[in-house]
């Protein structure tokens, strides 16, 4: 197995929305805001070479939206999906599988590209993976969340017949439901941020790496009360974080962050204030161990 970090660029969101009930005087020390109260966030994806498969986890915001839409999110930086794939030695035609943690536009926008007046899968040889509960949720969205589910990112996957579903396993006590994707990748399911979000868990060279998506968007979201205002079911997020973080400390998981603008990975430790960061590092640290 080989792992590659795929940086698709940066964007900005309201810091208050990202930290919910936590006061700005506290979260601003973790993620400093600009004069418009916006904080910088990454759209960091992960590519996995495993058993003749090339698996991409999420793919950023894409570039097919109009200027007005993109202007709301202040896209910045020199990284892009295509450029990062090229740096890692790949092109879109090489991707065999795309695991979509969930169908919010900043996670799946790169799935579909606009060619002329047509929308087509950006990875022509790939199977795209979601799950039935989340698909139904995203394709019949509630009024609060529907702005995050863009039809042009979602429905072409079904229309082109490239979509497959991962079935969630039964929930066990004090752990997130899970399913097996391959010999080396399991999928954990969460229900607080959005219905049936998927967290890939990768067994790599004696390490367990969890792609934590929007359960823990940044290192700053590790304390239990630090829950996003964007979450549909914040009390469920709180419960899921408590269960997952305890397990992550016990089993020494490596957390891989999709949105943290600085840190790619961390390990955790238990303190008298609860679970906190033990060590932050780039994924390359374990790739060269």
């Amino acid at each position: 197995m080989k792992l590659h970090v795929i940086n698709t660029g940066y964007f900005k969101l309201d810091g208050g929305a990202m930290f919910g009930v936590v006061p700005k005087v506290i979260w601003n020390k973790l993620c400093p805001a600009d004069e418009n109260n916006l904080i910088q966030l990454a759209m960091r994806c992960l590519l996995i070479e495993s058993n003749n498969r090339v698996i991409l986890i999420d793919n950023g915001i894409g570039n097919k939206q109009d200027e007005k839409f993109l202007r709301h999110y202040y896209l910045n930086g020199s990284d892009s999906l295509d450029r990062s794939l090229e740096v890692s030695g790949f092109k879109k035609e090489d991707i065999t599988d795309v695991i979509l943690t969930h169908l919010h536009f900043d996670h799946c926008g790169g799935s579909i590209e606009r060619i002329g007046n047509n929308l087509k899968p950006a990875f022509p040889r790939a199977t795209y993976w979601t799950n039935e509960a989340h698909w139904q949720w995203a394709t019949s969205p509630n009024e609060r969340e529907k702005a995050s589910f863009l039809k042009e990112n979602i429905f072409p996957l079904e229309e082109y017949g490239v979509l497959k579903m991962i079935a969630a396993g039964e929930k066990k006590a004090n752990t997130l439901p899970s399913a097996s994707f391959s010999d080396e990748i399991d999928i954990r399911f969460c229900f607080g941020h959005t219905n049936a979000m998927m967290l890939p868990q990768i067994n790599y060279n004696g390490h367990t790496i969890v792609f934590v998506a929007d359960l823990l968007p940044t290192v700053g979201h590790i304390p239990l009360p630090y829950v996003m205002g964007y979450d549909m079911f914040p009390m469920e997020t709180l419960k899921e974080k408590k269960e997952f973080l305890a397990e992550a400390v016990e089993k020494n998981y490596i957390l891989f962050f999709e949105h943290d603008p600085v840190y790619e990975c961390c390990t955790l430790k238990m303190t008298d204030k609860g679970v906190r960061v033990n060590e932050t590092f780039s994924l390359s640290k374990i790739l060269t161990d």
Side-chain angles (χ1 to χ4, degrees):
M1 175 184 281
K2 295 182 179 179
L3 305 179
H4 307 266
V5 176
I6 303 296
N7 295 305
T8 71
Y10 296 86
F11 72 131
K12 294 185 178 183
L13 291 176
D14 184 87
M18 283 298 295
F19 283 93
V21 299
V22 179
K24 182 178 180 180
V25 69
I26 296 176
W27 64 252
N28 198 53
K29 297 175 184 178
L30 304 171
C31 296
D34 65 15
E35 64 278 8
N36 295 315
N37 211 48
L38 301 173
I39 62 172
Q40 179 87 321
L41 296 166
M43 291 179 285
R44 183 181 297 112
C45 308
L46 186 63
L47 188 142
I48 305 167
E49 295 181 81
S50 175
N51 296 327
N52 298 316
R53 299 169 81 173
V54 181
I55 303 163
L56 181 64
I57 302 174
D58 283 354
N59 49 54
I61 203 168
N63 57 13
K64 65 182 176 299
Q65 305 304 322
D66 61 30
E67 182 180 350
K68 180 181 179 181
F69 177 89
L70 296 175
R71 194 164 57 240
H72 286 302
Y73 299 101
Y74 302 88
L75 270 66
N76 62 94
S78 59
D79 292 322
S80 70
L81 176 59
D82 287 330
R83 188 176 299 116
S84 292
L85 286 173
E86 182 180 358
V87 167
S88 294
F90 298 92
K91 53 186 182 297
K92 288 178 175 176
E93 291 78 9
D94 297 324
I95 307 301
T96 63
D97 300 87
V98 179
I99 297 175
L100 300 170
T101 61
H102 58 300
L103 296 171
H104 287 170
F105 64 83
D106 55 314
H107 295 258
C108 74
S111 298
I112 302 297
E113 59 186 8
R114 192 183 303 277
I115 301 177
N117 294 323
N118 298 315
L119 295 171
K120 295 185 177 181
F123 306 96
R125 294 183 55 244
T127 298
Y128 292 73
W129 297 89
T130 182
N131 65 81
E132 188 66 38
H134 185 64
W135 178 259
Q136 294 301 325
W137 184 264
T139 54
S140 300
N142 62 75
E143 291 296 324
R144 184 168 178 259
E145 197 178 4
K146 70 178 183 179
S148 294
F149 293 124
L150 305 183
K151 294 179 180 179
E152 57 268 37
N153 288 337
I154 298 173
F155 288 104
L157 299 174
E158 184 177 53
E159 293 165 6
Y160 278 88
V162 297
L163 189 67
K164 288 191 177 181
M165 304 295 175
I166 298 172
E170 293 185 9
K171 180 173 174 55
K172 299 178 181 178
N174 299 319
T175 188
L176 302 178
S178 65
S180 176
F181 180 79
S182 71
D183 290 343
E184 298 166 310
I185 303 172
D186 292 322
I187 303 293
R188 311 290 293 271
F189 290 82
C190 298
F191 299 86
H193 176 60
T194 187
N195 193 38
M197 179 174 67
M198 304 194 299
L199 309 185
Q201 180 170 304
I202 302 121
N203 299 315
Y204 173 79
N205 194 27
H207 301 284
T208 298
I209 303 168
V210 184
F211 189 102
V212 289
D214 280 349
L215 177 65
L216 297 163
T218 73
V219 167
H221 288 85
I222 288 172
L224 289 178
Y226 292 43
V227 173
M228 289 190 289
Y230 295 113
D231 285 12
M232 290 297 101
F233 308 101
M235 293 306 295
E236 185 66 20
T237 296
L238 190 66
K239 179 182 177 183
E240 290 170 343
K241 283 178 64 175
K242 187 174 184 178
E243 292 175 355
F244 172 73
L245 290 171
E247 180 182 340
V249 170
E250 178 186 356
K251 298 184 178 180
N252 198 32
Y253 290 165
I254 293 171
L255 277 51
F256 182 91
F257 294 99
E258 188 161 10
H259 287 315
D260 195 292
V262 178
Y263 303 112
E264 290 180 1
C265 300
C266 84
T267 52
L268 302 171
K269 63 183 178 181
M270 185 63 72
T271 73
D272 57 358
K273 294 183 178 180
V275 177
R276 293 294 186 268
V277 171
N278 180 42
E279 180 185 9
T280 58
F281 50 92
S282 65
L283 187 64
S284 62
K285 177 180 184 295
I286 66 165
L287 300 184
T288 57
D289 280 353

